[in-house]
């Protein structure tokens, strides 16, 4: 167990989230543990209590409480993972080399832990060492109920390279979704800004993103510009559509909020599409009923990037989750009907 430390934030860490800064220095500290230490006031910035999401400034003093040694955390973490969970997370691997691991994250499995999340990719990544000393690190996240391609870096240097590539939009991500109604025009862009509206719970539960008209973004405190490309691939009359989406920016809940804003919420999205079958737009609401699953129909289908070491183009493709497979079968759609890149005309 280490002692209490006080660490000064350096210039290169300006505007970095506290939890990400903390995990860079102490990679064996779990996200849920960091959030708990913040809530209890064990982690402080300039002597004050803070949330894990606070942004740091150069020169600030961060109090770091006593932490277990990495080997103690590693042994305890591996012991907590069941054989079934080890097999499950191994089965999700769709790509692996000496630098990168890619998963087809199951719907319902969080990327990181929290106060109520006991099982998550970050924790299960202890079982993804495959002979390496350190566990792989998440370089981006997917919402709990979103499935699909999720990248992990096997070294700290690779994590930094991939994070920078994502931040500078040097990667491409194409999502597939089933949405209510039929978006028109069939190919287009959504440019509403997004601003966070906090929930009413004690810990901010229920927070969601609200759309802001592009002309109002600069006037709205906290709003950020967001751009989503979409392509309507196939439809079932006017009831539902298979849509491909490419987020040009990477805002929280961007795809879900944008599709709901134009009147075509993603099927199964109770947060943004409402829980009723009908809605006031052109679609039918977030629930189609009948044999169609109520689970979120949003899947990170493709991710493309230049490998930071080999410099070759890596193109990863994740098979659909079971509930979306069943919906596709019900609507007589097949994944091979879609062009690999439906946005090629916009390049």
């Amino acid at each position: 167990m280490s002692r209490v430390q006080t660490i000064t934030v350096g210039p290169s860490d300006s505007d970095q989230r506290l939890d990400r800064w903390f995990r860079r220095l102490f990679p064996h500290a779990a996200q849920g543990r960091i959030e708990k230490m913040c809530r209890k006031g064990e982690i402080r910035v300039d002597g004050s209590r803070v949330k894990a999401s606070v942004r740091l400034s150069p020169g600030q003093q961060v109090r770091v409480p006593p932490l277990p040694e990495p080997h103690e955390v590693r042994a305890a973490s591996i012991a907590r993972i069941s054989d079934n969970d080890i097999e499950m997370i191994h089965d999700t691997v769709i790509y692996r080399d000496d630098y990168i691991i890619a998963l087809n994250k199951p719907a319902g499995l969080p990327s990181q832990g929290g106060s109520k999340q006991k099982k998550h990719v970050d924790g299960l990544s202890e079982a993804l060492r495959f002979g390496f000393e350190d566990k792989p690190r998440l370089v981006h996240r997917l919402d709990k109920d979103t499935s699909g391609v999720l990248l992990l870096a096997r070294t700290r240097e690779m994590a930094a390279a991939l994070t920078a590539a994502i931040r500078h939009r040097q990667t491409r991500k194409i999502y597939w979704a089933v949405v209510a109604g039929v978006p028109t025009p069939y190919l287009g862009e959504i440019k509403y800004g997004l601003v966070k509206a906090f929930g009413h719970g004690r810990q901010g539960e229920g927070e969601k993103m609200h759309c802001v008209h592009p002309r109002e973004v600069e006037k709205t405190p906290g709003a950020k510009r967001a751009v989503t490309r979409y392509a309507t691939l196939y439809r079932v009359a006017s009831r539902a559509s298979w849509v491909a989406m490419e987020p040009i920016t990477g805002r929280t809940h961007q795809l879900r909020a944008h599709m709901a804003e134009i009147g075509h919420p993603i099927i199964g999205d109770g947060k943004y599409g409402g829980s009723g079958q009908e809605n006031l737009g052109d679609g039918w609401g977030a629930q189609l009923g009948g044999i169609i699953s109520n689970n979120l129909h949003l899947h990170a289908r493709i991710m493309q990037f230049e490998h930071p070491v080999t410099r070759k183009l890596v193109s990863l493709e994740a098979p659909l989750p079971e509930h979306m497979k069943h919906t596709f079968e019900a609507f007589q759609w097949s994944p091979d009907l879609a062009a690999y890149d439906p946005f090629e005309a916009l390049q």
Side-chain angles (χ1 to χ4, degrees), residues 263-279:
H264 301 287
I266 297 171
I267 300 305
D269 192 351
K271 179 184 283 287
Y272 291 95
S275 58
Q277 183 168 342
E278 296 182 351
N279 76 17

Side-chain angles (χ1 to χ4, degrees), residues 73-127:
V73 174
R74 183 179 307 156
S77 298
I78 295 175
R80 285 198 299 267
I81 304 176
S82 70
D83 289 343
N84 286 340
D85 284 340
I86 291 175
E87 182 179 3
M88 179 274 292
I89 200 66
H90 283 185
D91 287 344
T92 68
V93 176
I94 57 176
Y95 176 86
R96 185 178 106 200
D97 63 21
D98 288 342
Y99 309 97
I100 298 167
I101 293 176
L103 309 181
N104 182 9
K105 187 189 82 66
L109 180 66
S111 297
Q112 291 182 307
S115 58
K116 296 182 180 180
Q117 306 295 344
K118 303 303 181 184
K119 184 188 298 187
H120 45 83
V121 173
D122 190 40
L124 295 175
S125 65
E126 290 284 354

Side-chain angles (χ1 to χ4, degrees), residues 118-344:
K118 303 303 181 184
K119 184 188 298 187
H120 45 83
V121 173
D122 190 40
L124 295 175
S125 65
E126 290 284 354
L128 295 173
R129 295 176 186 272
F130 298 117
F132 276 49
E133 180 178 354
D134 295 329
K135 74 173 188 176
R137 298 165 168 83
L138 287 167
V139 295
H140 66 113
R141 293 182 293 176
L142 292 175
D143 291 345
K144 174 184 175 183
D145 295 319
T146 302
S147 58
V149 182
L150 184 68
L151 288 186
L152 296 92
R154 305 190 73 179
T155 66
R156 180 175 298 178
E157 294 76 15
M158 185 56 55
L162 290 173
T163 300
I166 292 171
R167 182 186 305 120
H168 297 301
R169 302 176 189 173
Q170 295 169 345
T171 62
R172 289 194 69 199
K173 289 183 264 187
I174 297 177
Y175 290 72
W176 282 1
V178 181
V179 306
V182 182
T184 51
Y186 293 149
L187 183 67
E189 288 188 338
I190 306 169
K191 297 183 177 180
Y192 285 96
L194 294 169
V195 63
K196 182 178 291 186
F198 292 96
H200 302 294
R202 295 179 60 184
Q203 302 297 330
E205 296 89 348
E207 68 180 21
K208 61 189 297 187
M209 306 303 290
H210 283 188
C211 288
V212 178
H213 193 280
R215 290 195 298 267
E216 302 298 320
V217 171
E218 299 297 333
K219 308 173 187 176
T220 305
K224 295 181 179 180
R225 296 196 176 277
V227 179
T228 299
R229 291 174 176 171
Y230 73 87
T232 307
L233 304 180
Y234 288 89
R235 60 179 183 150
V236 177
S238 60
R239 189 175 189 194
S241 301
W242 168 11
V243 170
M245 292 177 287
E246 181 178 7
I248 305 305
T249 52
R251 311 302 183 196
T252 301
H253 295 177
Q254 175 177 318
L255 303 181
R256 297 165 63 184
H258 271 177
M259 294 311 297
E261 181 66 19
I262 66 170
H264 301 287
I266 297 171
I267 300 305
D269 192 351
K271 179 184 283 287
Y272 291 95
S275 58
Q277 183 168 342
E278 296 182 351
N279 76 17
L280 300 179
D282 296 330
W284 283 63
Q287 309 298 341
L288 291 181
I291 64 171
I292 304 303
S293 170
N294 289 337
N295 292 336
L296 184 69
H297 284 59
L298 179 60
H299 178 67
R301 174 68 173 182
I302 293 170
M303 188 167 188
Q304 294 178 330
F305 57 94
E306 182 184 89
H307 196 291
V309 175
T310 67
R311 297 301 172 187
K312 294 181 179 180
L313 178 66
V314 178
S315 188
L316 305 172
E317 185 172 331
L320 289 172
E322 287 301 316
H323 69 280
M324 288 185 68
K325 285 183 184 178
H326 294 155
T327 298
F328 271 47
E329 290 170 1
F331 292 154
Q332 299 183 0
W333 297 334
S334 173
D336 59 12
L337 294 174
Y340 187 80
D341 182 1
F343 304 101
E344 188 172 6

Side-chain angles (χ1 to χ4, degrees), residues 1-7 22 26 28 37 42 62-69 72:
M1 184 75 71
S2 64
R3 297 182 178 181
V4 174
Q5 305 175 60
T6 300
I7 301 177
F22 200 98
F26 306 100
H28 60 289
M37 289 189 290
E42 295 175 350
V62 181
R63 179 191 186 273
V64 178
L67 298 171
E69 297 298 328
E72 297 172 344

